[in-house]
Amino acid sequence: MKKVSSLKLGIIALTMVVMVACGNQEGAGSETSSDAQQQAAADTTVTTGSEDTTPAADEAAATVAVDEALVEEILSQFDNKTPSTTVTLSVAITELFNDLGLSLEGVPTTQSELPAAYQDVQKVGSSHQPDLEMIASLTPDAVLAPESIKDSINKMLEPSGLKGAYLPVDSLDGLKASLVAIGRLYGKEAEAEQVLSSFAEQESEILKSVEGKEAPSVMFLFGSTDYLMLMNEDTFAGSLARNLGATNVLTDTMQSTETYVPFNMESVVEANPDVILLVAHGDAEAVAKKFEEDVKKNGAWEKMNAFKNGKMKTLDYNLFGVASLSKTPDAYQALSSVLYGE
């Protein structure tokens, strides 16, 4: 256990104040250090809030960290041309389009809830198994998919002559950068700034609420009864826990640089996290039960901090199963309660 760094929270607060005073949008992206956040804040200049440029108006504006280099990298895929027809293969990307009030010609087939605005839009198959014939019939200028599955999607799209573009939407920083990039690409900069400004205000309040509290070490598990993976800070749930001050044992104790690592019981016991959190596909209760049984078979479970503390929890898949900027405030609250609740 360690103290949530007052310095870190102070820097976050200072960053917010600096950005508010300047009326700028900072760039932090996937970088985790406060120094990087401050440097990026000085390097990026996306204005948020009212067009009123008086000092009072600047103080009222709220801003949020975005990795400017990542935004430019995303935009470089489009050769300075705005797609006139777009298909998405991701719930997360579809939600970003909804946040900006943009239309789509095709959206993914999914069990997750899509925004009501796209209820009648053509479904084009899942993100991993898109219906290429259906997509081609829509003659899209761009097919947008998560960067994390770029290789597999690209292999399917290219033979069909379909133009794919890939957005980093698996983490909070990736969602922010993708929103800004979409806003610029489709002429919705003001809408993107408004969304991020509102989000920054909510995020700031949540981070303040954990200031000075004892921060736990945490282990994230992702998967089903058939397989489990460990997740680091570059994932959606992992990035929220990091911002709340928790340390991720996959990064800090196990010294892994991989985003996902196959589950290994010996590694779990050795890392001995204060909290174990499960993001389960399908029957979450069955996944949690199987995991607990496997831990007990190891014989060391009763010595693990997470079990002694009653801190082996299954997270709500609706909040943590799919990265979502619009649901992040609720996810923050739920995660804060688990990490710091009595």
Side-chain angles (χ1 to χ4, degrees):
M1 305 280 281
K2 70 171 188 176
K3 284 272 190 183
V4 173
S5 169
S6 298
L7 175 61
K8 179 180 177 181
L9 292 174
I11 290 174
I12 292 173
L14 177 61
T15 302
M16 296 295 295
V17 171
V18 170
M19 292 186 297
V20 165
C22 297
N24 291 337
Q25 181 177 28
E26 68 171 337
S30 59
E31 295 179 348
T32 57
S33 74
S34 296
D35 288 342
Q37 290 179 338
Q38 289 184 314
Q39 181 61 47
D43 292 344
T44 58
T45 55
V46 177
T47 304
T48 64
S50 170
E51 294 182 355
D52 185 350
T53 57
T54 63
D58 286 344
E59 291 178 1
T63 55
V64 68
V66 175
D67 185 336
E68 183 64 22
L70 184 55
V71 172
E72 292 302 322
E73 182 179 336
I74 295 169
L75 291 173
S76 68
Q77 300 175 88
F78 297 92
D79 300 324
N80 297 318
K81 296 179 181 177
T82 301
S84 59
T85 53
T86 307
V87 167
T88 61
L89 293 179
S90 156
V91 175
I93 297 173
T94 305
E95 287 189 349
L96 296 180
F97 271 74
N98 184 62
D99 289 339
L100 302 181
L102 291 164
S103 62
L104 289 167
E105 278 62 44
V107 294
T109 304
T110 175
Q111 293 183 347
S112 299
E113 184 178 1
L114 291 172
Y118 307 119
Q119 183 176 0
D120 297 327
V121 173
Q122 180 64 54
K123 306 302 185 294
V124 297
S126 69
S127 57
H128 289 82
Q129 292 183 314
D131 184 336
L132 298 179
E133 185 175 347
M134 176 60 71
I135 294 174
S137 71
L138 301 173
T139 61
D141 291 333
V143 180
L144 304 186
E147 187 180 53
S148 58
I149 55 174
K150 175 180 178 178
D151 290 346
S152 61
I153 296 298
N154 216 26
K155 288 179 182 177
M156 289 184 265
L157 295 183
E158 280 193 338
S160 302
L162 295 167
K163 168 66 175 176
Y166 303 92
L167 279 63
V169 291
D170 287 351
S171 71
L172 179 57
D173 293 326
L175 287 170
K176 294 174 185 175
S178 294
L179 181 74
V180 171
I182 294 171
R184 291 182 189 173
L185 184 64
Y186 291 87
K188 293 284 186 177
E189 294 96 330
E191 288 82 355
E193 291 165 7
Q194 184 176 8
V195 171
L196 291 177
S197 177
S198 175
F199 174 81
E201 293 176 0
Q202 298 177 74
E203 181 182 49
S204 178
E205 289 299 314
I206 294 168
L207 296 182
K208 286 179 182 176
S209 71
V210 301
E211 185 176 359
K213 294 184 178 181
E214 294 290 334
S217 60
V218 61
M219 173 177 281
F220 284 99
L221 300 172
F222 177 82
S224 66
T225 53
D226 296 326
Y227 73 95
L228 282 176
M229 304 286 284
L230 305 183
M231 304 191 298
N232 76 0
E233 298 175 343
D234 293 331
T235 59
F236 178 62
S239 61
L240 299 191
R242 177 198 62 208
N243 294 346
L244 288 167
T247 56
N248 190 309
V249 295
L250 179 57
T251 304
D252 288 3
T253 305
M254 300 168 66
Q255 300 290 306
S256 173
T257 58
E258 298 295 324
T259 304
Y260 295 94
V261 173
F263 170 74
N264 179 285
M265 183 57 69
E266 284 69 31
S267 297
V268 173
V269 173
E270 184 177 351
N272 194 19
D274 298 318
V275 181
I276 298 175
L277 299 175
L278 175 64
V279 181
H281 282 297
D283 188 341
E285 186 176 343
V287 178
K289 182 178 180 181
K290 184 177 186 304
F291 170 73
E292 189 165 348
E293 290 174 350
D294 289 345
V295 173
K296 290 179 179 178
K297 288 179 183 176
N298 181 274
W301 70 275
E302 71 277 6
K303 298 178 182 178
M304 293 178 62
N305 290 337
F307 283 86
K308 287 192 293 187
N309 299 334
K311 290 288 188 179
M312 210 296 280
K313 305 286 186 183
T314 300
L315 297 176
D316 184 351
Y317 189 84
N318 291 323
L319 289 179
F320 295 94
V322 177
S324 169
L325 188 62
S326 61
K327 294 179 181 176
T328 293
D330 289 338
Y332 259 135
Q333 293 288 2
L335 191 56
S336 175
S337 177
V338 173
L339 295 176
Y340 298 102
E342 298 297 331

